[in-house]
Amino acid sequence: SYIYRKKVLNVANYGDNGFIDFSKLWGILEKKELNKQWLKNNGIHSNTVAKLTKNENVTCEVICNLCKLLNCQPSDIMEYKRK
């Protein structure tokens, strides 16, 4: 728990509040006839691609880079899913 403005906030463990699903990313790549190797060839690190495949945490900078590469919005490549 953290104390913020004299209020105690309970912080959930990772994954307790759901997760971000990147299934839409793979769909948009397929639609554009692109693949994971194309992401790697265009500056997305192989470790990051692996994280995306497993719906693990990535930075906002990665999301921005993907959106720039694919000319899309974040909602086109990811969505929130409840646990």
Side-chain angles (χ1 to χ4, degrees):
S1 295
Y2 292 101
I3 297 176
Y4 181 72
R5 294 187 188 185
K6 299 182 183 178
K7 210 182 215 186
V8 176
L9 302 175
N10 291 324
V11 178
N13 293 321
Y14 178 75
D16 285 352
N17 289 320
F19 64 98
I20 299 299
D21 180 17
F22 289 100
S23 296
K24 288 180 164 186
L25 170 61
W26 313 119
I28 202 169
L29 285 173
E30 187 176 325
K31 183 177 177 182
K32 293 177 180 258
E33 298 183 354
L34 303 172
N35 57 30
K36 293 175 189 175
Q37 188 60 50
W38 182 85
L39 292 175
K40 295 173 193 175
N41 293 345
N42 283 278
I44 306 297
H45 194 279
S46 59
N47 291 345
T48 302
V49 174
K51 286 181 177 185
L52 291 164
T53 303
K54 297 182 274 187
N55 293 323
E56 293 180 353
N57 280 343
V58 295
T59 65
C60 291
E61 186 66 21
V62 167
I63 303 302
C64 290
N65 289 339
L66 290 168
C67 288
K68 182 177 178 183
L69 283 171
L70 297 167
N71 191 29
C72 67
Q73 292 296 313
S75 63
D76 296 329
I77 59 171
M78 64 186 204
E79 66 181 322
Y80 167 75
K81 298 265 180 120
R82 288 185 181 263
K83 186 174 176 183

